[in-house]
């Protein structure tokens, strides 16, 4: 019998342990055009894994890895140990943990990834998962991120000597489409639209001064929303003749800082005085349930979106203001290197994407057709 090439699933195991409900970031398991699930996920409510239809035949020709092939050398890791939970402890940032967990759960179909299940995975399952993602017309960047997450998880298992080889090794799996970052569409606001957005914060009632200061910081410091949410009063400090903003919670994982213009510091000081903020979290909630608490990255996203709606602007999130700050800086004469440094891009190609889009739209053949 030919082995199934669907993604390995907890249904193949004799254990009937229930899976916890997936987090908000985890997508529901997609299906192929034939209706077959890639990796069905238990909801954790009145559902046991042995109720799911098996995807990998539990037989000798399944291509899986037997216990004899990879002896358990770590006494702290049992066959019932949740390897995914243990793997995620390698990462500090909640956003990174959520992203990796989502991708790995989508592949295995459960957030209880135990050793027998992980050993069943072969390159055929990885290839099938990639093919299904392509058939669902997922973006090339999404597929590449998914493969990278799966490969990283199996690299970790290989390093622990729990499996002998990585089934997601580049030499074993099908090539994926390359994400063309130079042609990706970047959503940003013009200078006039940015001013309209800032004026619209005046309609936020009690939160008006907070929202105005917050949006100014997002635009001038080109912050990610998680970085803005982590801001404390003490993070704004003088450095020589300038003001800087310390960023202890960054995507790169190391402490960084960016310059913050003096006029933005003045607006922040006015906000602090208005609300009586002297220390601790800089951006605080006005909701009845969490009043006075630090706002979250999701709350910042909603603030930006709500303000854009008031300003009659396109539906945007917080990251669009990061794009806007980078684009406006380039349009005002900043160099690529200056923007790369300020935005803390690791790769110059990320910064170049702003140039490619600007040049593609500014001097287009479409403007010369004249019908």
């Amino acid at each position: 019998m030919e082995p199934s090439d669907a993604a390995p699933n907890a249904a193949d195991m004799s254990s009937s342990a229930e899976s916890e409900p997936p987090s908000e970031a985890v997508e529901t398991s997609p299906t192929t055009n034939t209706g077959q699930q890639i990796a069905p996920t238990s909801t954790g409510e009145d559902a046991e894994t042995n109720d799911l239809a098996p995807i990998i035949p539990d037989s000798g020709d399944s291509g899986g890895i037997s216990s004899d092939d990879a002896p358990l050398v770590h006494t702290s890791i049992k066959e019932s140990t949740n390897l995914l939970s243990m793997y995620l402890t390698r990462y500090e940032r909640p956003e990174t943990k959520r992203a990796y967990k989502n991708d790995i759960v989508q592949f295995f179909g459960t957030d209880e990834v135990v050793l027998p299940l992980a050993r069943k995975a072969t390159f055929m399952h990885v290839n099938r998962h990639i093919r299904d993602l392509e058939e669902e017309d997922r973006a090339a960047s999404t597929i590449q991120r998914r493969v990278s997450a799966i490969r990283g998880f199996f690299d970790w298992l290989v390093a622990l000597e729990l499996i002998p080889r990585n089934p997601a090794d580049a030499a074993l799996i099908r090539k994926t489409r390359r994400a063309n970052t130079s042609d990706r569409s970047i959503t940003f606001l013009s200078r006039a639209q940015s001013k309209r957005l800032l004026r619209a914060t005046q309609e936020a009632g009690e939160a008006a001064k907070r929202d105005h200061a917050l949006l100014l910081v997002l635009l001038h410091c080109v912050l990610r929303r998680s970085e803005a949410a982590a801001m404390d009063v003490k993070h704004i400090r003088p450095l020589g003749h300038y003001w800087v903003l310390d960023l202890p919670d960054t995507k790169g994982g190391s402490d960084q800082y960016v310059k913050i213009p003096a006029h933005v510091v003045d607006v922040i000081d006015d906000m602090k005085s208005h609300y009586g903020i002297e220390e601790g979290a800089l951006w605080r909630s006005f909701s009845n349930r969490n009043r006075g608490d630090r706002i979250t990255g999701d709350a910042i996203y909603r603030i930006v979106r709500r303000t854009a709606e008031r300003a009659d602007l396109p539906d945007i999130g917080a990251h669009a203001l990061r794009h806007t700050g980078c684009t406006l800086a380039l349009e005002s004469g900043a160099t690529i290197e200056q923007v790369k440094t300020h935005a803390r891009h690791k790769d110059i190609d990320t910064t170049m994407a702003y140039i490619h889009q600007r040049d593609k739209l500014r001097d287009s053949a479409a403007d010369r057709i004249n019908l």
Side-chain angles (χ1 to χ4, degrees), residues 213-232:
L214 172 61
L215 267 57
L216 269 181
V217 169
L218 291 173
L219 285 163
H220 284 86
C221 298
V222 293
L223 301 184
R224 301 173 179 90
R225 56 179 175 168
S226 61
E227 295 166 346
M231 286 177 63
D232 285 344

Side-chain angles (χ1 to χ4, degrees), residues 1 6 32 68 82 88 101-102 145 166 215 251 266 359-360:
M1 179 177 66
T32 65
D68 294 335
N82 186 345
L88 294 175
K101 181 178 180 180
N102 178 43
R145 189 202 67 231
N166 189 333
L215 267 57
K251 187 176 181 181
D266 290 341
D359 292 347
K360 185 175 182 178

Side-chain angles (χ1 to χ4, degrees), residues 37-297:
Q37 279 190 316
I38 295 173
T41 306
S42 169
T43 63
E45 298 178 358
D46 301 323
E48 295 185 353
T49 56
N50 57 11
D51 289 333
L52 300 175
I55 291 182
I56 301 179
D58 191 9
S59 62
D61 62 349
S62 66
I65 302 168
S66 69
S67 297
D68 294 335
D69 293 328
L72 189 60
V73 297
H74 298 275
T75 57
S76 62
I77 299 179
K78 309 298 183 183
E79 290 201 344
S80 59
T81 299
N82 186 345
L83 298 174
L84 178 55
S85 295
M86 184 176 291
Y87 175 69
L88 294 175
T89 62
R90 299 174 66 233
Y91 303 99
E92 294 294 331
R93 302 183 72 243
E95 295 82 3
T96 303
K97 288 185 177 183
R98 282 198 298 268
Y100 279 115
K101 181 178 180 180
N102 178 43
D103 285 329
I104 295 169
V105 165
Q106 289 299 312
F107 175 69
F108 283 105
T110 178
D111 55 8
E112 293 284 339
V113 182
V114 292
L115 191 56
L117 178 61
R119 284 176 173 166
K120 286 179 179 289
T122 71
F123 72 94
M124 296 173 64
H125 305 126
V126 180
N127 282 334
R128 173 61 180 273
H129 192 60
I130 295 172
R131 189 184 73 186
D132 286 341
L133 291 173
E134 291 172 343
E135 289 178 350
E136 292 158 12
D137 202 26
R138 299 292 186 94
S141 58
T142 299
I143 298 174
Q144 288 180 353
R145 189 202 67 231
R146 179 72 56 82
V147 171
S148 177
I150 295 169
R151 181 179 295 141
F153 177 69
F154 283 117
D155 274 341
W156 178 71
L157 295 180
V158 171
L160 288 174
E161 300 179 8
L162 296 177
I163 60 175
R165 55 193 172 272
N166 189 333
D169 188 283
L172 299 176
I173 64 173
R174 60 194 286 156
K175 291 184 177 180
T176 59
R177 303 189 310 272
R178 291 180 61 86
N180 190 346
T181 56
S182 65
D183 274 346
R184 69 186 177 99
S185 177
I186 299 173
T187 301
F188 66 95
L189 302 178
S190 67
R191 191 174 301 277
Q193 288 175 321
S194 300
K195 290 180 178 180
R196 279 170 52 193
L197 183 74
L198 292 171
R199 286 196 298 269
T201 60
Q202 298 173 7
E203 303 174 28
E206 184 183 15
K209 285 186 176 291
R210 180 202 64 186
D211 291 0
H212 184 247
L214 172 61
L215 267 57
L216 269 181
V217 169
L218 291 173
L219 285 163
H220 284 86
C221 298
V222 293
L223 301 184
R224 301 173 179 90
R225 56 179 175 168
S226 61
E227 295 166 346
M231 286 177 63
D232 285 344
V233 171
K234 66 181 181 181
H235 292 153
I236 299 174
R237 60 180 175 88
L239 182 61
H241 298 293
Y242 308 103
W243 287 95
V244 297
L245 169 63
D246 288 324
L247 301 172
D249 183 18
T250 65
K251 187 176 181 181
S254 59
D255 291 351
Q256 302 174 18
Y257 70 86
V258 294
K259 180 180 180 180
I260 179 169
H263 77 276
V264 177
V265 176
D266 290 341
V267 172
I268 292 173
D269 285 343
D270 179 63
M271 178 206 72
K272 288 161 49 183
S273 176
H274 180 78
Y275 297 125
I277 298 174
E278 297 181 354
E279 60 181 4
L282 187 60
W283 316 115
R284 305 191 182 189
S285 173
F286 291 103
S287 71
N288 292 331
R289 186 179 63 176
N290 302 312
R291 190 174 185 86
D293 291 349
R294 181 188 302 273
I295 63 175
T296 64

Side-chain angles (χ1 to χ4, degrees), residues 24 225 289 296-308 316-318:
E24 184 178 344
R225 56 179 175 168
R289 186 179 63 176
T296 64
D298 288 344
I300 291 175
Y301 174 86
R302 292 191 293 269
I303 289 169
V304 174
R305 189 172 183 178
R306 187 166 56 241
T307 307
I316 60 170

